[in-house]
Amino acid sequence: MAIVGAAHVDVGDAVNDDVSHDEALSGVPVRPRAVVRPGTTDEVAAVVRAAAAERVPLTPRGSGTGLSGGATPVPGGIVLSFERMRAILEIDVANHVAVVEPGVTLAELDEALLPHGLVYPVFPGEQSASLGGNVATNAGGMRAVKYGVTRHHVLGVEAVLGTGEVITAGGRFVKATSGYDLTQLILGSEGTLAVVTQAILRLHPRPAHTATLLAPFATLDEVAAAVPPLVASGVGPLLVEYIDLLSMGGITAAAGIDLGIPEDIRAKTLAYLVVVLEDHHEDRLEEDTASVAGLLTELGSLELYVLPGAAGAQLIEARERAFWAAKAAGADDIVDAVVPRASIPSYLGTVGGLAAAAGALVTGCGHVGDGNVHLSIFQPDPDVRGRLIHDILAAAAALGGAVSGEHGIGTRKLAELAGLEDPVKLDLMRRIKTAFDPRGILNPGTIFAPGDTAPAPAPDGRQGAHR
Amino acid sequence: MAIVGAAHVDVGDAVNDDVSHDEALSGVPVRPRAVVRPGTTDEVAAVVRAAAAERVPLTPRGSGTGLSGGATPVPGGIVLSFERMRAILEIDVANHVAVVEPGVTLAELDEALLPHGLVYPVFPGEQSASLGGNVATNAGGMRAVKYGVTRHHVLGVEAVLGTGEVITAGGRFVKATSGYDLTQLILGSEGTLAVVTQAILRLHPRPAHTATLLAPFATLDEVAAAVPPLVASGVGPLLVEYIDLLSMGGITAAAGIDLGIPEDIRAKTLAYLVVVLEDHHEDRLEEDTASVAGLLTELGSLELYVLPGAAGAQLIEARERAFWAAKAAGADDIVDAVVPRASIPSYLGTVGGLAAAAGALVTGCGHVGDGNVHLSIFQPDPDVRGRLIHDILAAAAALGGAVSGEHGIGTRKLAELAGLEDPVKLDLMRRIKTAFDPRGILNPGTIFAPGDTAPAPAPDGRQGAHR
């Protein structure tokens, strides 16, 4: 295209196969008509305007590490790649703010912040992920129990609407009540409302000291029951994860880690709780570590391991690679449900029953501190698997949870959202979509099925369904 | 009306004058046609449906403590009062969540949480305010530097759209990516998108120990310059406030407090920094207090006072009453701008120049830790004052700030929002408003001028204005 220059457009056979999919296990690749790599916001806006005029679907793409197919192109559509927009525009130390372009990866940002003693505390587990993708999916990760998720750290955005208009929302401040919060609305909208071209990120002082505790438990119920007293104790853990027996085996084997847990403990263990603490003061960290160790022992932990720095980091890194371990082990699909954290034991009991009935193996680990459960589903039959996943997500919804905690709906969970969500809310979301993107060119097929985003007439006077 | 029963409707002369205004200094009271007090969500929905059918404006009302006129009725309209919906429906200790009806006050909730060792950490300064009003304005307050604002503590809502449909959004979890985040969109929308009938609030362990530090400085620049190193030190202050000389005089005089600061220090002082720390451990608090005291002394504090528990609480309480002190002193209006926190010195310099040029006295205090500045304007001439306030807010916008940090736009800052905000965004907000409230019956005249919410046609292909 003339907008970005011929060197920055691939068409037809020149399109790299990589852009036809993301990392979703069950996705069907789709080759786009072209890939366009804009270098500036103005170029993005011009591309969107041109696409709107011709009603050509646009699929924004960062690093392509998504797990729900949200970056899967549409047949005949164009991939809007941010690989050229990867500048860290500013690190504003006085305001504890970074301003980034969407193509910047988490690893690049973390490296740039290190010398300033600052941290962007969202670690969704894949450091090659782009900030643009993180903003689109409201990425979470293990540290959400302390710091919250992407939503809590994006103070403002520059974004291009589906009309090609450019807006800025929010700013270098944590609060404002000056009209509707467009930043928060665009956050997590998976590229369907606007294309984010800059993000203002909130930074935190980087604590110097961390400690990792590993507690094997005989039952998952005990693991989950340990969480409320742990959180209530006020130590403010950085990370509270559960890892079931099979996942721990897969994770440590894939990473080549030996945790040195004696056979007699391992024989009695059904699940592990991993707690990481951090502090600016080493003595406080030691005191808190001892206090958490005492608490977990009281709460039934079979043993208590305080992992030295390197071993702790290794375990967390291995846990971050859990998706890849599951993929290598042949998992057929993954689930990322969220439930109230106190409901995790009952939820996992239900999941176990559903898995047994479907003849499937379901293993899991997750952010037990915030109720986000990651399951790996081993069941090769797509129909049986599809029904099982539906039932697993329906069980989460029935407990007052949600279909996706952090991966997003993408193109892979359309049926579950459409089937489990209140139709009144879906209609409202379609009208919001139309307010941003009247021609429906932004990431069509994500969140809503293709062709399902035409605005429904606003109903009047009808009682909404309670979920 | 038949919907709520005759005992819960006041009409005509029976309407109490109190509902004709909120606490905005410059508002013009408007008597509504009627006040309706629903007792349940179903009754709220039925009232909204009836109002939508007859296109009667509805003004939701909590405690009426707002400062921007957002609860001012519309001539011929109906006030939807939540004084009967004031149940704390649940305190869910395991999930650290409370579920409340909109009429519950902050004081009532705090009292109920105390025995559980939990706290809802948003303290906007007026404990008689209702949670429904807090949700509508995204209320902030002094503790935002540590805990964030209302937006960060509302996990979900039940709400009635302008169609009368009831939705629930979010839940008892801190993260989800399952369609657009309607909770966050409704938060801070000042009752113009939906009427919130229940809110799910996030709670925190209540730290047992607090310490208050008072540091007089010779210049406001030094006060502001002290904030970034204070935040970067990692002590995580609960509260970082600046109070200028005149405001401190007004606040302490109104509260009858003598801080015991010697005359020679007072003579040199132009502004005060107040820092409150909290901790679960008394020894850590003492250590942090000493470290902050050392830091502030290094940074130029003329003296350093660590106030004993009761005196500290008294000062904070007096500071929370700053609005009332200003009102008693005859302030003609107030401003609640937000700027990046590092820009506070330059911003206050600009404000000083504007005030002098307009022959006005402008005093201030504010949440220097998060960039939110509260100014009291003493200038009786409404035209001169109006231009001055416009210029003060325009200066905030020019620094990348916003017109309101926490009070909201209401009915009092319509001109500033319309004049200073990007028209592209205002059009987008109007379309969002229409998606929720197609007949424009929810709090008309707030955020947008009356009659200004008809949906603008979605423009295509026009370059948006950059702010």
Side-chain angles (χ1 to χ4, degrees), chain A residues 358-413:
Chain A
L361 176 66
V362 174
T363 68
C365 54
H367 314 316
V368 75
D370 59 39
N372 188 197
V373 174
H374 292 302
L375 302 169
S376 299
I377 314 287
F378 298 80
Q379 166 50 269
D381 183 310
D383 292 337
V384 176
R385 188 172 72 236
R387 281 194 300 275
L388 173 62
I389 291 177
H390 176 274
D391 292 346
I392 286 174
L393 294 175
L399 286 167
V403 165
S404 171
E406 54 193 21
H407 296 174
I409 301 302
T411 56
R412 310 304 312 148
K413 289 182 211 142

Side-chain angles (χ1 to χ4, degrees), chain A residues 137 168 175 177 192 406 425, chain B residues 137 168 175 177 180 406 425:
Chain A
T137 57
T168 63
K175 64 176 181 189
T177 302
T192 63
E406 54 193 21
K425 279 167 72 181
Chain B
T137 57
T168 63
K175 64 175 179 188
T177 302
Y180 307 145
E406 55 193 20
K425 279 167 72 181

Side-chain angles (χ1 to χ4, degrees), chain A residues 216-227 273 296 299-302 345:
Chain A
F217 279 87
T219 69
L220 201 48
D221 274 20
E222 286 172 296
V223 170
V227 175
L273 186 70
L296 294 180
L299 293 166
S301 169
L302 297 168

Side-chain angles (χ1 to χ4, degrees), chain B residues 106 110 119-127 134 139-144 147-148 150 206 238 320 367 406:
Chain B
L106 290 169
D110 197 53
V119 66
Y120 174 70
V122 183
F123 285 77
E126 179 53 64
Q127 288 294 91
N134 272 230
M142 293 196 275
R143 303 189 188 188
Y147 287 105
T150 303
R206 187 188 284 260
L238 173 64
E320 288 189 331
H367 315 315
E406 55 193 20

Side-chain angles (χ1 to χ4, degrees), chain A residues 274-366:
Chain A
V274 182
V275 179
V276 178
L277 304 177
E278 64 171 9
D279 210 297
H280 296 276
H281 300 268
E282 198 163 6
D283 56 337
R284 294 183 190 185
L285 182 66
E286 282 168 14
E287 193 187 342
D288 285 349
T289 303
S291 126
V292 169
L295 183 64
L296 294 180
T297 305
E298 265 174 49
L299 293 166
S301 169
L302 297 168
E303 192 45 89
L304 212 292
Y305 304 94
V306 180
L307 304 182
Q314 218 180 7
L315 175 62
I316 298 309
E317 203 176 306
R319 161 64 189 89
E320 288 188 332
R321 310 282 299 167
F323 165 73
W324 301 104
K327 186 175 177 181
D332 297 296
D333 211 340
I334 54 170
V335 159
D336 151 53
V338 63
V339 295
R341 68 169 183 243
S343 304
I344 283 189
S346 106
Y347 182 58
L348 292 179
T350 304
V351 167
L354 292 168
L361 176 66
V362 174
T363 68
C365 54

Side-chain angles (χ1 to χ4, degrees), chain A residues 20-380:
Chain A
S20 66
H21 61 87
D22 59 13
E23 296 294 345
L25 284 186
S26 59
V28 179
V30 176
R31 285 183 61 83
R33 182 205 298 192
V35 177
V36 176
R37 291 179 289 273
T40 65
T41 299
D42 284 346
E43 288 184 2
V44 174
V47 170
V48 174
R49 280 199 303 278
E54 298 172 38
R55 296 182 187 263
V56 176
L58 288 176
T59 303
R61 183 180 183 87
S63 298
T65 57
L67 295 171
S68 292
T72 310
V74 171
I78 291 174
V79 166
L80 191 61
S81 165
F82 285 101
E83 58 203 284
R84 288 176 63 218
M85 290 179 70
R86 58 193 309 153
I88 298 173
L89 298 169
E90 191 182 345
I91 295 173
D92 172 350
V93 173
N95 285 309
H96 278 193
V97 152
V99 184
V100 300
E101 289 188 327
V104 173
T105 68
L106 289 168
E108 288 162 357
L109 178 62
D110 197 54
E111 198 187 329
L113 295 176
L114 196 54
H116 298 283
L118 295 171
V119 66
Y120 174 70
V122 183
F123 286 77
E126 179 54 63
Q127 289 293 91
S128 72
S130 70
L131 266 311
N134 272 231
V135 168
T137 57
N138 184 26
M142 294 196 274
R143 303 189 189 188
V145 65
K146 175 161 183 177
Y147 286 106
V149 296
T150 303
R151 179 176 300 292
H152 305 108
H153 293 91
V154 177
L155 302 177
V157 293
E158 175 189 77
V160 181
L161 309 185
T163 57
E165 294 166 303
V166 181
I167 64 167
T168 63
R172 300 179 190 203
F173 43 78
V174 294
K175 64 176 181 189
T177 302
S178 297
Y180 307 145
D181 194 324
L182 302 175
T183 307
Q184 289 296 323
L185 181 52
I186 291 170
L187 248 290
S189 67
E190 304 190 47
T192 63
L193 296 181
V195 179
V196 170
T197 48
Q198 272 183 31
I200 302 175
L201 307 177
R202 184 179 190 183
L203 308 176
H204 296 260
R206 186 187 286 259
H209 310 284
T210 62
T212 305
L213 290 93
L214 175 66
F217 279 87
T219 69
L220 201 48
D221 274 20
E222 286 172 296
V223 170
V227 175
L230 180 63
V231 175
S233 75
V235 294
L238 175 63
L239 187 158
V240 185
E241 293 285 305
Y242 91 90
I243 306 180
D244 74 13
L245 191 61
L246 286 164
S247 296
M248 182 62 100
I251 288 168
T252 51
I257 300 179
D258 181 3
L259 294 168
I261 300 175
E263 185 48 41
D264 63 318
I265 300 287
R266 266 196 288 176
K268 285 183 264 180
T269 299
L270 211 64
Y272 295 86
L273 186 70
V274 182
V275 179
V276 178
L277 304 177
E278 64 171 9
D279 210 297
H280 296 276
H281 300 268
E282 198 163 6
D283 56 337
R284 294 183 190 185
L285 182 66
E286 282 168 14
E287 193 187 342
D288 285 349
T289 303
S291 126
V292 169
L295 183 64
L296 294 180
T297 305
E298 265 174 49
L299 293 166
S301 169
L302 297 168
E303 192 45 89
L304 212 292
Y305 304 94
V306 180
L307 304 182
Q314 218 180 7
L315 175 62
I316 298 309
E317 203 176 306
R319 161 64 189 89
E320 288 188 332
R321 310 282 299 167
F323 165 73
W324 301 104
K327 186 175 177 181
D332 297 296
D333 211 340
I334 54 170
V335 159
D336 151 53
V338 63
V339 295
R341 68 169 183 243
S343 304
I344 283 189
S346 106
Y347 182 58
L348 292 179
T350 304
V351 167
L354 292 168
L361 176 66
V362 174
T363 68
C365 54
H367 314 316
V368 75
D370 59 39
N372 188 197
V373 174
H374 292 302
L375 302 169
S376 299
I377 314 287
F378 298 80
Q379 166 50 269

Side-chain angles (χ1 to χ4, degrees), chain B residues 60 159-162 167 186 189-196 436-437 442:
Chain B
V160 180
L161 309 185
I167 63 166
I186 292 170
S189 66
E190 303 191 47
T192 64
L193 296 181
V195 179
V196 171
F436 278 82
D437 177 24
L442 296 183

